[in-house]
Every structure is written in structure tokens, then in C-alpha cells.
Amino acid sequence: MQTRREFIEKSSRTAAAIALSGPAASLLAGYVNPKQSPASLPASFHDVAGSRSLRTHARRHGLTFGSAVIIRNVQSDPDYADLVSEQCGIVVPTGELKWIALRPAPDRYDFTLPDFLLSFAQNNHMLMRGHTLCWHQSVPAWIQTEENRPHTRQFFVDHITTVCKHYAGHLHSWDVVNEAILPSDGQPAGLRKSFWYEQIGPDYIELAFRTARAADPDAKLTYNDYGVEYDSEEDAERRRLILELLRNLKKRDVPLGAVGIQSHVKAAQPFTLGEGLANYLESIRQMGLEVYLTELDVNEDDIKDDDPVKRDAIIAQTYTDYLKVALANPAVKLVLTWDISDRFTWLNNGPTHHRKQPNRPQRSLPFDRDFRPKEAFFAIRGSFDRRQIK
Ligand code: XIL
């Protein structure tokens, strides 16, 4: 006798095989055919829900899959809300928990949007993580005034305490400090010359972690950064400095639980992916820390060919290549893409240095602008399936 669950899983596998017969079937095995026509991919995101979702495939291999979202999109578009809740086991707001959004004035916090996301997550059996308590790019104008600047340390402690207490017991993890390393700033230990660093001093990092832990005893406290993925000299130097920072924090018993690797990878990269990243992951694992791939996406601006079919194949292959290395280490527990649909990728809407080709919207994420699964979806799912660790 098969159980109801086995029956549902088996029927949906059969349905998937029917829906993806012909050339698309090969995508299920992780093979990427550059001539693949998008028309042969499933027409709707509902065709890859349930047992076919990224969420379910991730879970079978010791991973939680999820996405960053712009909260207003979840509120305003029911299809998007369905896509997110079908595919994700965890969500994170892209901007709504940063200082500027959350703290419009010294004496005012606005939790409306993140509170909405938390109830959306809970109603749909998803986890939520927090991003971020401290980032050089989200420093409100009011704290930089002559009057307030001398009190930065107190504002900082109050902010982290209030925000962490508000969500205590409800968040899976917090990106406590984001992007603290920038060797070209010329500071000791490669620390970035951010507002927080300049006003509080280099111990702002330790202060942030200790304050967060005092206010929320449960969330995994995470240090998150970028530029550690490739076998380039620049990334190698960043990895070395981040590991040094982590070792120092651990030595001082700072409550650090995980390391975030943003994973903004690039198609058409001159550098290779492999040893550098693998060794970095292993060093973090040996420190007893978890690893989260926090902001995965593929920047495809440097692909010369304009043909979307060819670009999609290269993008999918980039996901496969990256995840092959990243998922090999058992310390990796979470994978989140930075949004899930090309309609909302920050690469089309964000800073201009990510928009080398402003007239060619990027196709960076697993679902296209109309929420149809792309080859990138099957590349990510196939990478989960090939993971040996349970
Ligand atoms: C980005 C958001 O996606 C944008 O909407 C916003 O304008 C700028 O920030 N690394 C991070 C994220 O840690 O916070 C950034 O998010 C993307 C790069």
C-alpha cells in the first residue's frame, strides 16, 4: 500500500514527465541544451509547485530554499504571492528591515511592512530571516546631523535592541553586519570606512552581535558579505580578511552563528570558480559556523549575444557551476535568490553600475517576468538533486 504522500509525489512526478517530455525532459537531469526553446518549458509556475518545487527538492538534500522579496509586491500581486509561497521555505525582505526604511526618525520605527511579511510567512509555513541591522549604505540622514552624530553609539545599540526584540523568537536568522570588509579603504584588518566604523570604531561589529544576542536569544546571527566567490586575487584577499575577522570574533566569544555568502555571481566571468570558494567554505565549517547563500543571482550583462535563448542557457550553466562547488560543503544550509522573478530583480532596478545594458533587461532569476520557470529553475533544482548530503 502506498501512502497518500507517496501517491501524490508519484503522480506529480509522472505529471512533470508528461509536461516536460521532449527536449525539456533533459533539463530535469540538469543538462542544459543551448538550443532549448522557451516554449517547451512549463507554461506556468503552478506546473512546478508542490513536490516539484525548489522548496521541496532543497529540503530533501538538507537545504532550505527561499527568496528575497520586495514586500509591496507580495501585497499587490496575488500571483507573485502564490509563486513565493509555492517555491520558498524562507523569505527575507530586500530593503524593508534596513535602517532607512524602518527608522524614519530618531524616535519612530515603522514595522508595518516587515510585520506583514512575517504573518505572510507564518500563514504559508515559511521561515523568515532579517536583513540587515548594520550596512554602510543604509544610514539615515537624521543620524548624520551634527546634533545626532555624537550619539551614534547609543542610537546603534537602541536600534538593534528594539528591532531584535520586536522579532525575537520569530526569525530564523539575522544578517547582523553586512559588507564590513573593503580593503581598498586602507584601514587596519581591511575594514570598510563606513559611517558606523568612523563614529563607533572598529568594535562596532562585536557590539552589533552582542547587542543582537541580548535582545534575541534564538536567531542565528550572521555576518554577510560579497566578493568571495572566485579564484581571483581580489576575492582571495577578501576571503582572507573575512576569515581573520571571523576568527577574531570567535576568539572573543562573540555570538556568531553563520556566515552569509551573497553569491551575486556573473555569467561571462574571466575568473574560475572552485578551490578558493571550496577552501573558504571548509574553513568556515571548521569554525563550527553554518553557511548561507544569501543573495544568489546571475548578472548576465557581459554576455555578448542578445538572443534570450542563448543567454538563458549560459545563465543556467552559471547556476549549475556555482552550486556544484557551493553545495558540496555540508555547512551550507540555506540558499536564497535575490528575488525569484526577473520582473523584480534589483539588477534591472538598482544601481547603474549593474546596468551596463539598460535596454536589455537581465534574465537573472529562476522565473521570468511572467513567472514562468526558466532553465535557471531546472539548473538550481538539479543542483539540489545532485547534492549528496542529507
Ligand atoms: C539592494 C536591494 O535589492 C535594492 O532594492 C536596494 O536599492 C539596494 O539594496 N547586497 C545587499 C543587499 O546586501 O542589501 C542589496 O540589496 C544588494 C547587494
Side-chain angles (χ1 to χ4, degrees):
M1 262 279 284
Q2 59 187 357
T3 63
R4 183 172 172 275
R5 190 198 166 91
E6 282 165 346
F7 171 75
I8 292 169
E9 288 204 354
K10 198 170 156 222
S11 352
S12 52
R13 271 201 303 273
T14 315
I18 294 165
L20 282 175
S21 58
S26 61
L27 293 169
L28 285 170
Y31 170 72
V32 178
N33 177 356
K35 294 203 185 74
Q36 182 65 54
S37 139
S40 61
L41 290 169
S44 153
F45 66 88
H46 295 300
D47 297 331
V48 289
S51 62
R52 282 165 276 174
S53 65
L54 292 173
R55 172 187 182 146
T56 304
H57 282 245
R59 200 178 46 221
R60 289 189 193 133
H61 296 274
L63 293 166
T64 301
F65 171 80
S67 171
V69 296
I70 296 166
I71 301 172
R72 287 195 190 284
N73 296 333
V74 179
Q75 290 178 321
S76 62
D77 185 339
D79 279 342
Y80 181 69
D82 280 352
L83 167 65
V84 169
S85 59
E86 282 176 4
Q87 293 298 326
C88 296
I90 187 163
V91 284
V92 63
T94 56
E96 296 85 343
L97 281 170
K98 291 171 182 165
W99 274 71
I100 289 176
L102 201 60
R103 190 92 184 263
D107 55 353
R108 207 157 65 79
Y109 290 83
D110 186 352
F111 289 109
T112 320
L113 286 169
D115 283 0
F116 168 86
L117 187 64
L118 181 61
S119 50
F120 173 74
Q122 288 172 340
N123 293 340
N124 290 287
H125 313 288
M126 293 185 284
L127 302 168
M128 175 165 149
R129 62 190 314 268
H131 174 86
T132 165
L133 297 167
C134 174
W135 188 38
H136 66 282
Q137 277 191 36
S138 195
V139 182
W142 59 257
I143 205 175
Q144 301 179 56
T145 61
E146 248 171 75
E147 186 199 347
N148 285 333
R149 211 173 39 227
H151 309 294
T152 298
R153 190 184 176 98
Q154 195 55 51
F155 281 121
F156 188 76
V157 170
D158 289 349
H159 180 91
I160 295 176
T161 304
T162 306
V163 177
C164 287
K165 274 206 172 131
H166 185 86
Y167 291 110
H170 296 297
L171 296 191
H172 166 276
S173 49
W174 262 113
D175 287 337
V176 178
V177 175
N178 192 33
E179 305 183 350
I181 295 292
L182 189 64
S184 58
D185 274 355
Q187 300 303 300
L191 289 182
R192 182 190 292 269
K193 222 171 146 195
S194 67
F195 177 81
W196 310 116
Y197 172 86
E198 292 196 294
Q199 298 305 314
I200 304 174
D203 76 330
Y204 81 95
I205 298 175
E206 176 169 345
L207 179 65
F209 278 96
R210 292 196 191 282
T211 309
R213 177 51 83 232
D216 180 343
D218 300 317
K220 279 273 187 191
L221 303 183
T222 308
Y223 175 74
N224 192 46
D225 216 328
Y226 66 88
V228 295
E229 294 84 4
Y230 291 99
D231 289 334
S232 65
E233 263 177 45
E234 193 185 341
D235 283 18
E237 174 67 353
R238 292 182 55 84
R239 287 191 290 267
R240 192 184 66 70
L241 290 164
I242 294 171
L243 289 173
E244 190 180 297
L245 170 70
L246 301 174
R247 274 191 204 104
N248 277 327
L249 293 174
K250 289 282 291 177
K251 219 187 308 165
R252 300 168 60 81
D253 270 333
V254 174
L256 172 73
V259 179
I261 299 180
Q262 290 189 4
S263 314
H264 294 294
V265 289
K266 293 186 87 181
Q269 248 282 340
F271 302 108
T272 55
L273 268 169
E275 223 185 315
L277 178 61
N279 292 342
Y280 182 63
L281 293 167
E282 186 52 21
S283 303
I284 299 171
R285 191 189 69 78
Q286 284 175 14
M287 283 185 224
L289 301 170
E290 296 192 338
V291 178
Y292 307 149
L293 312 183
T294 49
E295 306 181 16
L296 177 62
D297 60 10
V298 174
N299 185 324
E300 54 119 338
D301 253 356
D302 289 326
I303 301 178
K304 297 236 162 47
D305 204 318
D306 280 338
D307 179 354
V309 176
K310 292 195 185 127
R311 278 157 55 207
D312 278 0
I314 299 171
I315 294 161
Q317 190 62 50
T318 308
Y319 275 111
T320 302
D321 294 346
Y322 180 66
L323 291 174
K324 184 174 179 204
V325 181
L327 298 186
N329 195 297
V332 177
K333 306 288 182 199
L334 288 187
V335 178
L336 290 101
T337 49
W338 203 241
D339 219 297
I340 195 162
S341 156
D342 293 339
R343 192 184 300 181
F344 303 126
T345 174
W346 71 303
L347 297 171
N348 291 335
N349 305 311
T352 44
H353 65 272
H354 291 302
R355 304 179 69 191
K356 284 192 213 154
Q357 306 211 44
N359 300 322
R360 196 182 87 177
Q362 296 217 29
R363 303 175 58 81
S364 311
L365 291 164
F367 290 85
D368 73 8
R369 300 182 72 82
D370 301 314
F371 305 155
R372 284 180 306 220
K374 302 187 309 177
E375 279 148 272
F377 169 93
F378 293 100
I380 297 171
R381 205 179 68 175
S383 302
F384 294 162
D385 293 343
R386 284 188 294 276
R387 193 183 205 217
Q388 300 297 333
I389 303 136
K390 291 275 169 187

